[in-house]
Amino acid sequence: MRYFSIFILLVGFLINAQDSKTSAFKEYYPISVRPELSLGLGNNPYEQILLEAKPTVYYGIYNDLRSALNKDTITNGDAIYLAFQPEFRIYNEESKPVKTPSYKLLIGWQKIIKTDNDNFLTAAIETGHYSNGQSRSAFSTEFEDNSEESRALYDTFTDDTDLAALLNRQTGNFSTNLTRVSFNYRLNTFDAQNVPEQIHSITATYQLYHNKFLGVADFGGYNPEDIDIYGRHRIELGYEYTGYFKDIRYVLSEQAMYHFGSHPSSAPFRSESRFMIYPFSNDFGFMAQLSVGRDDYNYRFLDDYTRFSVGITWDWFTPFVIKPTKQQMPDQPELKQG
């Protein structure tokens, strides 16, 4: 019953996000993480996952991306925002079925440029904090993180140690600051009403884990021993195709990630293949995903398995009407009076 209640709560969140009066949910972000709720098959040997939830929220501080693409002059658009990206997993366990949830809080900026062929080029930089709110050693329930006893454990690890088998999955700390730099290019095919009817979207991202918050403040950094295990650098490459079958929008996507510098017992590669369908002419949809390789849930990066999941999702960048570039005038600087 409690799992059903959580399910209803999250469904309500996504449906509420459709309300056009809720302006914070109606902004547009070409580079974004979709909220989702899913269940599936395929687990690591140590835990059985029942449900996964990613109720991602973007709160716009400033956003003229959509309006910029419809002005009478050729105008670049900008967005400044806060992104809260929590992740929760409910496990098939009698005690504490929700363990070590992830919390990612980022401040971001995106700029969109429309090309002469009405395609979109977007750049984004996002920076902030990523942690799971725990305090114990990642490899012991007995010791506090970064204590002398905890640090001594790391001296016993070798390249052949199976760290996933030693992981403290109940109270182990994961904490780091991070920065992401992304570029997205969308090739659009428009219908007679200037609404995209086919979209090819390519995104490349570089992610860096670093110790200082926003690059300057001594807050929320990583454990020195842990960063040597999960590594500091990651690259991502994603492709999405958006099309229509009659009035039903569908999306096919592939996301590949490679992490550099992690422990040999941790798989560096992860693949996520998705199919999404939006049958109600709005942002609410259904999804199916096949994920392979390295887990992407805080310090469970040490896990390596294949999982198939299905669920519901919500889109942060629904195709919309634009004004073609040929109908826009170049933006002329204002002449000074005097």
Side-chain angles (χ1 to χ4, degrees), residues 269-321:
F269 179 76
R270 177 176 177 84
S271 169
E272 295 178 354
S273 304
R274 285 186 178 184
F275 173 72
M276 291 162 280
I277 186 169
Y278 299 88
F280 305 120
S281 299
N282 58 23
D283 301 327
F284 180 81
F286 301 93
M287 52 83 69
Q289 175 175 302
L290 178 67
S291 57
V292 179
R294 179 190 184 109
D295 201 349
D296 195 35
Y297 185 75
N298 60 61
Y299 65 176
R300 284 172 175 79
F301 64 86
L302 291 167
D303 294 332
D304 176 10
Y305 58 97
T306 299
R307 181 173 175 83
F308 177 77
S309 55
V310 295
I312 57 177
T313 186
W314 195 72
D315 198 354
W316 282 110
F317 197 75
T318 308
F320 55 83
V321 175

Side-chain angles (χ1 to χ4, degrees), residues 120-134:
F120 304 155
L121 175 64
T122 306
I125 182 167
E126 300 172 318
T127 186
H129 179 68
Y130 180 25
S131 65
N132 67 0
Q134 304 300 312

